[in-house]
Amino acid sequence: MTEAAPMGVPPAEGRGRTARVVLVDDHRMFRTGVRAEIGRTEVTGIDVVGEADDVDSAVRVVAETRPDVVLLDVHLPGGGGVEVLRRSVGVMGEQGGVKFLALSVSDAAEDVIGVIRGGARGYVTKTITGTDLVNAVFRIADGDAVFSPRLAGFVLDAFAATDTPPVDEDLDRLTQREREVLRLIARGYAYKEIAKQLFISVKTVESHVSAVLRKLQLSNRHELTRWATARRLV
């Protein structure tokens, strides 16, 4: 007797091929859940060939395995998903190169636009079902663009705009690391917690916060939190 496929997940034999995938997310339990949901190759056609939990390990694993698709979280220690994309331009540009699909809890327009500009082929949120994620992986592997509902509108609006910038001019003044610190501060993290999350010192966190406040012309973390909340960055 053959083993039944998980409910709603299309069987691999219906596709006739396999997609090699790398999972990049800093939460091990989430990676484990995704692997369990879609990584049964004989059922879904998805072969999970590697995992990573920060920017450096992601760049290394992607370069070593050359998967068809990378499922990439946006917020990662070491610079975020945008930094992974920036450092993976070489493997993306090859003939039949690696393709990236952002898989994130965030549905902020700035996050969506940032990774699409960086070279990702699509963006889906972590509310996606296993069935839809499997389908999204194969569509990305085929060169299509895939977005969760309503996120495509962010990209269309951003790239169609002519008279106004697609992202906040104030936000553009911040580096990628400063944006990461900004989000964590706005979410109520203490300096020590931010330092641990980003693998940097508390003193470095303090320097980044000072730079953010100066660039945004804000006085304290409470004003910073209101600024970030108003722009849906939290």
Side-chain angles (χ1 to χ4, degrees):
M1 179 181 295
T2 58
E3 188 173 8
M7 184 177 296
V9 177
E13 58 268 23
R15 298 183 182 278
R17 65 192 179 95
T18 299
R20 301 173 67 253
V21 171
V22 163
L23 305 177
V24 179
D25 193 286
D26 61 340
H27 293 96
R28 181 178 59 81
M29 290 186 65
F30 178 76
R31 297 197 311 272
T32 300
V34 172
R35 180 187 281 270
E37 181 74 15
I38 72 171
R40 298 172 61 194
T41 310
E42 73 283 1
V43 174
T44 63
I46 302 295
D47 181 13
V48 178
V49 297
E51 297 184 17
D53 60 4
D54 61 16
V55 169
D56 288 340
S57 62
V59 172
R60 182 177 64 254
V61 170
V62 169
E64 289 173 351
T65 61
R66 294 295 204 278
D68 298 305
V69 177
V70 178
L71 292 178
L72 178 67
D73 192 14
V74 174
H75 301 142
L76 293 168
V82 171
E83 181 66 11
V84 175
L85 291 162
R86 186 187 70 79
R87 292 171 55 183
S88 301
V89 170
V91 295
M92 283 192 282
E94 296 174 345
Q95 182 69 26
V98 178
K99 298 178 178 66
F100 287 78
L101 171 61
L103 175 60
S104 176
V105 69
S106 171
D107 61 358
E110 187 263 337
D111 286 334
V112 178
I113 295 166
V115 294
I116 298 304
R117 282 178 162 174
R121 295 289 305 172
Y123 194 115
V124 295
T125 62
K126 291 181 177 179
T127 58
I128 193 170
T129 66
T131 299
D132 288 342
L133 185 55
V134 169
N135 289 331
V137 167
F138 279 98
R139 288 180 59 192
I140 291 291
D142 288 337
D144 291 342
V146 179
F147 295 92
S148 289
R150 97 183 182 85
L151 300 189
F154 295 155
V155 179
L156 292 173
D157 291 344
F159 287 94
T162 54
D163 297 327
T164 57
V167 288
D168 195 300
E169 288 183 350
D170 290 333
L171 199 59
D172 274 347
R173 298 191 183 101
L174 306 182
T175 66
Q176 181 64 30
R177 177 47 60 87
E178 288 168 352
R179 295 183 191 192
E180 292 178 341
V181 172
L182 163 65
R183 287 192 188 92
L184 293 174
I185 284 288
R187 291 171 182 168
Y189 283 70
Y191 285 4
K192 287 184 179 179
E193 294 173 320
I194 296 173
K196 183 178 181 180
Q197 177 103 352
L198 300 181
F199 300 98
I200 57 179
S201 69
V202 173
K203 187 174 181 179
T204 300
V205 173
E206 292 172 350
S207 297
H208 285 313
V209 172
S210 296
V212 170
L213 292 174
R214 183 180 68 256
K215 290 179 180 181
L216 300 181
Q217 299 182 354
L218 301 174
S219 300
N220 52 56
R221 65 181 297 162
H222 301 294
E223 291 184 1
L224 187 152
T225 299
R226 287 197 296 270
W227 187 93
T229 301
R231 286 160 176 78
R232 302 181 66 243
L233 301 177
V234 180

